[in-house]
Amino acid sequence: MKPFTYVRATSVAEASRMVVAGSAPLAGGTDLLGLMKGGIASPARLVDLGGIDGLNGWSRERGAGLRIGALTPLVDLETSDQLARHLPIVREALRDTATLQLRNAGTVGGNLLQRNRCWYFRDAAIQCWLKGGTQCFAKEGENEHHAIIGTARGCNRVAPSDLAPALIAHDARVTLTSTRGTRSVLLADLFTDPALHSREEHTLRRGEILTEVQVPESGLQRRGTYLKAMERKTWSFALVSVAVAARIRGGKLRDPRIVLGGVAPVPWRVEAAEAEIDGHPFSDDLARRAADLLLADAAPLAKNGYKVPLAKELVRRALARIAAA
Amino acid sequence: MEQLALVQGDDAEAWAADAVLTIVGRPQRRVEGAAKVTGRARYTHDIRLPGTLHARILRSPHPRARVRHVDASRALALAGVRGVLHRFNTPKTAFRGEETIFREEVRFVGDEVAAVAADTEAIAEAALSLIVVDYEVLPHVVDLEEAIDAASPRIDEKGNVLDADRYERGDVRKEFAAADVVVEGTYRTSTQLHNSLETHGAVAVWDGDQLTVYESTQHVFGVREGLRNALHLPLANIRVLCDHMGGGFGSKGGIGKYTIVAALFAREIGAPVRCVLDRHEENVAAGNRSATLQRVRAAGKDGRITAIAHESWSNVGQARWVADPTGPTKGLYDVPNVLAHAHRVLTNTGSLAAFRAPGYVEGTFALESAIDELADGMGVDPLALRRRHAGSQVDPVSKMRYSLKRLVDCYDIGAEEIGWSRRARGGLRGSAPGLRRGLGMASQLWSGGGTPPAYATVHLNPDGTAVVRIGTQDIGTGTRTVIAQVCAEELGIDVRGVRVEIGDTDAPYAPISAGSLTVASITPAVRLAAKDAREQLLDVASGVLEVGRAELRVEGGAVVSRGARTPIAKVFEDLENYTVIGKGSRMPNPDDIVLKTFGAHFAEVEVDPATGMVVVERVVAVHDVGRIVDPLTARSQVEGGVIQALGFALSEERVVDKPTGRVLTSGLETYKVPTVRDVPRIVVRFVDVPDTVANNVGAKGLGEPPIIPAAAAVANAVANGLGVRIRHLPLTPRRVLDALAAAS
């Protein structure tokens, strides 16, 4: 690990001023420290956000949706029975996230902004496209964990967060604050696609701090669920995960969302798939049609073809589950 | 092979099956347990001598290259750097058949190129990146099946595929031609990494010409021997210590290059030097279980197995030996016609190291899968088929009798416990719609009879406590505890009154803690030393108490005669510091009898055919390993073996990138060992009949047995549940889904 200096910010404004080129914001550190030890990130300065008041915890105001502070430890969301009544998908998603130790240290903001787990990306000796190189080593290489869809350019990484698909399924937004001001974007738009030729994974601009997640009232009215396929029962990123959410009216799925993790460089949504089921009662056949549309453009690599049937099956089960609940 | 053993004295009569023992055979809390849970137990990684320097190793970034030049000037100019070693400035130091630790041709990503010693680990690490190496990159191959392919680069002048061993009995060809049913399968297993919690490492310090090395090792005497060969020192000048140890699983059988690096730097610089590997180094350069490709053909006729042919290819990296997977095929079942042929395949990957039942885990998976396939083909219950070949009391390889074999008892106990009668061809319905449930089993064969030489002393103190000294080591298995038990039992004192001094080459010799050797090798010597001490005590007591020697015995820390109890301390009261020193050695094994261990595992699994998820619900592990000295430690040993096997069966797999030769799974996140949540219910049972022919304790080894059959049992259970056999471990969701897609 390269030597670095450490400062502690006491306000968002101060943190934003401090996060200049060469500096990295530090929250739980569960991803950043690993990146630093592995030689993937080498910030000269860490700006610890832990001393900033007001970013830890969540609140629910009737009519104003749900707000979750970016520094809230994952474990606090996972274990809150009250939150589970408002937005049960969060607990479902977090229960299988990382390990209890990591959920104790990790934060909501850090989870959404974590870097991908591609084993080529995580090897400092490999100069892949995402790190400024010319090629994706996974494309012709060891790609069983890689993307099957949405990989238009040189990167076959997959979006690693469990929380992101779950929150996107409820139309979450995030607040980004910098010295230039504050903006609110859809969480789905926080993630950037390699198809856009960006060698970033997030659309965060320099100096911007993710301060809050909001779930609008309409999002809270959906019933959601999260399913995750793993290679062992804990401490395993998703082979495929799926978050679905919909309002159930008269046995029909309304305004549904289907978001996949582990299959594409960003949490994967296809509006046509959602339109296909909108207004219909659940059936296996309906779910199959939606899953087919969701994965219509799938182009698996040599070793990850299994993700297609796996994703389709998880979509079917998740939809069945919310329809039956 | 004839065994020469120099021994002193006579052996004791083995404790009989009905002997009344008060300490041996009863659950005993680990004698070092409190030290471990309170953090007082000192491991090699904890050794911080005053003034210690830290060494780090520069490793090859290329899978194969010639080192043409090394420029260390910038590294040496870094403040805090004390020295750099590389192939152009390092004296010849013999290491595993090579004469240097820094090869001219580096042969895998991670091969040692140079080393730095510095005031801190961080400085040493920083200095590594300042060393400039001129490499001539050479063609390479890392994949087992590509290396077998004649079109791939030859990485050794003799070729990549080398014959290891060929064995034949009977006439396999004839029986295949005459068979009712012949099955044939190609099986694959993946490279498994040891991942000992304590990584490999050593701390070396010189006092004049006396070298002391602290090393995390399974064999302090092996490390001493390695240092003697590398540094040409008299044995009296080398002391190797290993107090507590965080696992080795076979990979810590002798010195490593890090040991030599530490010793050379320590001598050159005149300060203690610590060289320990990090997790990534551990997983690229500290050994592994070879990936294998195996072809098994099995023939059946008239309800019996008539012939088995087993050919294997193992990816050994650069190793000069192979962990032969065909051992179980030769010896497990009484089958008249067997052909076994093992190949060693060289690749540009880190070399294998012995890994808990090397070869047997891989081979048992292939063999026992094939036996199930044959049973299916013959329409016979797979356990019933095995029973027909498991009862023989004669070793089919040597044709000599076994000292004790209770494999069929293991079948009976296991079948009852798992509910084998529920097993149905094609599996059972699972706990929810769509899920499938399967039962499977597999058998275990391993040695485990122990070996001389091993020596122990027992010092009986004037207060009736005792100190056992023996140069074995406790690699985490509970060796200290079983030594204390056997000593206390024989001596007639409380187990808490025994201190066990091990892990030191200044103690009497003991063999490597590997191959399930330990208990059967050392406890008979400990028992004899304790017996010697007891007899000397009785001689003294007879004089002091003026009672005939024959009327005295030691019991509960007292000398007892006709109802009168005299505490040992009382016997010695007037003798001041009189110390009884008992000596014992391990007697040779019988030369016309075969000592083996047997067992059987039964697994119940639930498989989700739509997601490829395999959940192992229960493993019943039954073993026939002679007397159980400590049921608690024995149970831990079995649980650990089963869990390690489940990793091999379901999730553990070293992945190497073919073009770059880099290990992509060198960390614990990507290399998936089982977590607590992955561990099923494990039911542990023992036949627990002492092997009185084997040695005076009647115990055999239990290190290897529990890892051998579990993966095969799970694979058979999965095949039973799914109705589709997957011949490639680990059984990840990907492999299950791909196999189901291919089958449909």
Side-chain angles (χ1 to χ4, degrees):
Chain A
M1 197 190 311
K2 298 245 171 68
F4 58 90
T5 59
Y6 168 92
V7 290
R8 196 168 164 87
T10 54
S11 69
V12 173
E14 189 186 17
S16 174
R17 279 196 302 277
M18 287 172 168
V19 180
V20 293
S23 296
L26 172 71
T30 55
D31 188 27
L32 181 58
L33 295 185
L35 290 165
M36 290 167 70
K37 285 183 187 172
I40 310 302
S42 45
R45 181 167 74 164
L46 292 187
V47 179
D48 189 350
L49 309 179
I52 301 174
D53 285 337
L55 300 186
N56 187 341
W58 62 274
S59 64
R60 163 89 166 97
E61 281 172 53
R62 195 148 286 284
L66 180 77
R67 299 152 64 108
I68 304 171
L71 288 180
T72 311
L74 298 175
V75 71
D76 288 1
L77 298 185
E78 176 200 354
T79 56
S80 166
D81 291 338
Q82 233 183 332
L83 181 70
R85 279 194 289 277
H86 297 305
L87 197 57
I89 198 169
V90 168
R91 174 177 286 182
E92 286 183 61
L94 289 178
R95 214 158 15 201
D96 284 334
T97 296
T99 63
L100 182 56
Q101 292 93 325
L102 289 166
R103 295 197 298 278
N104 272 325
T107 65
V108 170
N111 184 276
L112 298 175
L113 291 169
Q114 65 182 303
R115 306 297 308 270
N116 79 88
R117 307 304 304 188
C118 168
W119 44 31
Y120 293 99
F121 170 73
R122 293 266 164 177
D123 185 336
I126 290 174
Q127 186 69 359
C128 74
W129 179 83
L130 190 60
K131 291 184 284 188
T134 57
Q135 60 164 318
C136 170
F137 286 72
K139 195 161 195 161
E140 306 285 326
E142 300 303 321
N143 50 38
E144 64 241 51
H145 295 143
H146 289 79
I148 52 173
I149 199 163
T151 60
R153 190 145 164 127
C155 185
N156 290 275
R157 70 174 188 265
V158 296
S161 167
D162 291 313
L163 206 47
L167 290 172
I168 290 170
H170 289 271
D171 294 349
R173 304 183 70 84
V174 290
T175 301
L176 307 171
T177 302
S178 73
T179 50
R180 297 179 298 277
T182 292
R183 61 187 179 119
S184 168
V185 300
L186 279 171
L187 175 56
D189 293 335
L190 184 65
F191 302 96
T192 181
D193 200 309
L196 302 172
H197 300 213
S198 166
R199 299 195 199 214
E200 300 289 335
E201 290 173 71
H202 301 94
T203 53
L204 211 65
R205 297 172 194 152
R206 171 83 48 213
E208 274 185 332
I209 309 286
L210 194 162
T211 54
E212 193 179 84
V213 175
Q214 304 94 28
V215 180
E217 208 60 41
S218 57
L220 294 176
Q221 284 160 15
R222 292 198 191 105
R223 181 185 293 162
T225 196
Y226 185 80
L227 298 177
K228 180 181 181 184
M230 299 190 281
E231 283 182 331
R232 61 181 169 193
K233 287 186 187 162
T234 192
W235 198 21
S236 188
F237 284 88
L239 296 172
V240 173
S241 68
V242 58
V244 301
R247 280 181 291 125
I248 315 287
R249 291 283 152 78
K252 291 175 180 161
L253 301 157
R254 301 273 184 196
D255 196 17
R257 297 287 181 273
I258 311 173
V259 190
L260 296 176
V263 299
V266 299
W268 188 252
R269 251 188 92 188
V270 171
E271 284 178 19
E274 294 166 0
E276 182 72 18
I277 59 174
D278 198 351
H280 295 281
F282 172 80
S283 69
D284 277 349
D285 185 53
L286 184 80
R288 229 168 264 129
R289 290 205 311 270
D292 286 347
L293 285 167
L294 194 58
L295 293 158
D297 294 332
L301 303 167
K303 298 187 175 185
N304 64 7
Y306 73 97
K307 285 193 176 188
V308 177
L310 180 55
K312 289 181 176 179
E313 174 64 12
L314 292 190
V315 167
R316 188 192 67 78
R317 287 186 188 183
L319 288 171
R321 187 188 283 195
I322 57 166
Chain B
M1 187 173 58
E2 198 178 353
Q3 243 184 359
L4 279 181
L6 299 175
V7 295
Q8 297 167 319
D10 299 317
D11 204 350
E13 190 81 11
W15 282 318
D18 60 354
V20 179
L21 303 178
T22 58
I23 300 167
V24 165
R26 313 248 168 138
Q28 174 65 41
R29 212 177 282 168
R30 291 280 179 103
V31 296
E32 82 285 14
K36 279 188 173 162
V37 300
T38 56
R40 281 187 292 111
R42 202 163 63 148
Y43 293 78
T44 299
H45 280 218
D46 299 324
I47 304 290
R48 303 296 163 107
L49 305 171
T52 295
L53 304 178
H54 300 268
R56 297 286 296 148
I57 291 168
L58 180 69
R59 297 181 179 277
S60 171
H62 303 292
R64 187 166 168 234
R66 195 164 289 127
V67 177
R68 287 193 291 219
H69 184 254
V70 178
D71 178 0
S73 55
R74 286 179 60 217
L76 284 164
L78 186 68
V81 171
R82 303 296 205 91
V84 176
L85 290 171
H86 52 75
R87 60 175 275 92
F88 301 106
N89 73 353
T90 302
K92 278 189 179 173
T93 40
F95 182 82
R96 289 192 203 155
E98 296 182 47
E99 57 181 28
T100 173
I101 55 170
F102 299 120
R103 292 170 173 150
E104 180 184 6
E105 184 186 305
V106 287
R107 297 188 195 140
F108 64 96
V109 172
D111 211 346
E112 289 80 354
V113 173
V116 174
D119 292 346
T120 67
E121 268 188 281
I123 295 171
E125 186 75 42
L128 294 181
S129 59
L130 301 176
I131 298 173
V132 181
V133 182
D134 178 18
Y135 293 103
E136 177 192 346
V137 175
L138 301 170
H140 74 274
V141 60
V142 297
D143 179 73
L144 171 63
E145 290 177 47
E146 287 184 5
I148 294 169
D149 186 337
S152 292
R154 279 163 71 98
I155 59 174
D156 187 275
E157 56 200 30
K158 293 191 289 290
N160 298 344
V161 181
L162 306 167
D163 261 354
D165 185 45
R166 196 171 187 287
Y167 168 89
E168 185 164 14
R169 68 170 177 256
D171 188 339
V172 168
R173 273 183 57 182
K174 200 178 97 198
E175 288 304 326
F176 277 119
D180 298 336
V181 180
V182 175
V183 293
E184 178 162 4
T186 299
Y187 303 89
R188 291 174 173 85
T189 64
S190 301
T191 303
Q192 188 181 23
L193 300 169
H194 298 73
N195 269 306
S196 308
L197 274 185
E198 183 181 38
T199 61
H200 288 64
V203 179
V205 58
W206 293 79
D207 181 3
D209 59 0
Q210 294 284 325
L211 170 63
T212 301
V213 168
Y214 302 82
E215 171 137 351
S216 179
T217 183
Q218 295 171 238
H219 198 203
V220 287
F221 283 94
V223 173
R224 185 178 75 160
E225 187 63 22
L227 287 165
R228 173 164 90 147
N229 292 336
L231 303 174
H232 307 292
L233 295 169
L235 290 177
N237 292 29
I238 311 169
R239 187 176 182 197
V240 178
L241 297 163
C242 177
D243 192 356
H244 294 279
M245 202 264 211
F249 309 108
S251 69
K252 293 177 180 170
I255 57 169
K257 291 186 175 179
Y258 50 85
T259 323
I260 297 174
V261 163
L264 289 176
F265 272 137
R267 184 168 67 186
E268 187 183 297
I269 302 166
V273 174
R274 178 178 185 268
C275 188
V276 303
L277 306 192
D278 68 22
R279 180 61 53 191
H280 295 280
E281 293 176 289
E282 185 75 5
N283 279 338
V284 300
N288 56 69
R289 183 190 301 282
S290 299
T292 66
L293 171 70
Q294 303 180 60
R295 287 213 185 97
V296 183
R297 290 181 80 203
K301 189 174 168 61
D302 301 332
R304 291 183 63 86
I305 308 164
T306 51
I308 307 174
H310 187 171
E311 191 167 13
S312 68
W313 293 262
S314 301
N315 178 355
V316 303
Q318 298 297 313
R320 288 154 192 252
W321 66 290
V322 62
D324 184 349
T326 67
T329 300
K330 294 173 211 166
L332 178 53
Y333 296 119
D334 176 28
V335 171
N337 305 286
V338 171
L339 174 65
H341 193 178
H343 305 273
R344 176 166 69 103
V345 183
L346 300 175
T347 64
N348 295 111
T349 59
S351 296
L352 91 152
F355 191 157
R356 203 169 186 178
Y360 274 59
V361 173
E362 307 89 293
T364 298
F365 160 66
L367 171 69
E368 291 289 63
S369 296
I371 300 287
D372 263 37
E373 296 198 49
L374 182 64
D376 276 358
M378 295 164 72
V380 182
D381 175 83
L383 178 59
L385 181 62
R386 286 176 175 85
R387 282 180 185 278
R388 293 167 196 165
H389 301 271
S392 167
Q393 291 296 316
V394 174
D395 171 30
V397 179
S398 67
K399 314 295 183 200
M400 293 193 291
R401 288 189 68 78
Y402 296 115
S403 58
L404 183 72
K405 179 185 176 186
R406 296 292 189 103
L407 179 55
V408 172
D409 291 5
C410 296
Y411 291 167
D412 292 342
I413 296 168
E416 169 77 25
E417 186 69 48
I418 199 86
W420 185 258
S421 57
R422 288 178 298 142
R423 184 183 181 277
R425 202 170 166 170
L428 303 166
R429 280 169 36 181
S431 60
L435 301 184
R436 301 295 305 164
R437 182 167 289 258
L439 293 175
M441 61 82 56
S443 313
Q444 167 256 316
L445 168 72
W446 183 252
S447 49
T451 175
Y455 311 94
T457 61
V458 169
H459 291 217
L460 179 60
N461 295 313
D463 66 350
T465 63
V467 179
V468 188
R469 289 173 67 79
I470 179 165
T472 185
Q473 45 282 310
D474 191 335
I475 61 174
T477 52
T479 302
R480 275 184 176 83
T481 307
V482 298
I483 290 172
Q485 284 177 281
V486 170
C487 177
E489 180 77 50
E490 180 64 33
L491 201 46
I493 63 174
D494 191 293
V495 74
R496 282 164 300 192
V498 179
R499 195 175 90 226
V500 179
E501 288 288 313
I502 59 172
D504 184 349
T505 52
D506 282 358
Y509 180 88
I512 184 169
S513 296
S516 308
L517 287 173
T518 310
V519 165
S521 300
I522 67 168
T523 59
V526 169
R527 187 181 165 209
L528 287 184
K531 178 170 176 271
D532 185 19
R534 178 169 51 81
E535 285 171 354
Q536 292 181 52
L537 165 64
L538 292 176
D539 287 343
V540 173
S542 172
V544 170
L545 304 174
E546 296 177 348
V547 179
R549 168 81 157 66
E551 290 166 38
L552 298 174
R553 62 182 197 281
V554 190
E555 205 179 272
V559 176
V560 180
S561 74
R562 280 191 247 109
R565 295 175 57 87
T566 314
I568 294 171
K570 188 84 179 158
V571 173
F572 286 129
E573 198 171 37
D574 298 324
L575 295 172
E576 306 254 317
N577 279 307
Y578 186 88
T579 306
V580 165
I581 303 177
K583 291 192 297 179
S585 30
R586 172 57 157 83
M587 297 293 162
N589 288 328
D591 55 13
D592 53 352
I593 294 281
V594 181
L595 309 179
K596 297 283 182 189
T597 59
F598 300 91
H601 286 190
F602 293 74
E604 180 163 359
V605 304
E606 194 157 271
V607 191
D608 185 339
T611 63
M613 297 293 163
V614 174
V615 175
V616 178
E617 303 223 316
R618 197 159 57 118
V619 173
V620 175
V622 192
H623 290 281
D624 163 27
V625 294
R627 182 188 299 284
I628 300 302
V629 178
D630 177 3
L632 209 53
T633 281
R635 195 178 139 168
S636 299
Q637 194 62 257
V638 175
E639 288 170 349
V642 169
I643 294 166
Q644 208 162 27
L646 292 180
F648 177 76
L650 299 178
S651 61
E652 293 185 40
E653 178 174 9
R654 182 189 74 179
V655 178
V656 182
D657 183 51
K658 290 176 191 172
T660 62
R662 299 189 66 81
V663 174
L664 300 172
T665 52
S666 60
L668 284 169
E669 178 230 318
T670 45
Y671 185 82
K672 294 188 173 68
V673 297
T675 68
V676 172
R677 278 176 68 186
D678 296 291
V679 176
R681 195 149 80 81
I682 301 170
V683 179
V684 179
R685 301 285 297 273
F686 297 106
V687 175
D688 200 6
V689 173
D691 189 339
T692 53
V693 177
N695 58 65
N696 64 38
V697 173
K700 290 186 284 196
L702 186 57
E704 263 76 6
I707 198 176
I708 292 174
V714 167
N716 281 341
V718 170
N720 174 238
L722 278 181
V724 172
R725 181 162 293 273
I726 304 163
R727 300 185 182 87
H728 194 163
L729 299 182
L731 302 176
T732 56
R734 167 167 76 103
R735 292 226 171 82
V736 174
L737 289 173
D738 285 351
L740 289 172
S744 67

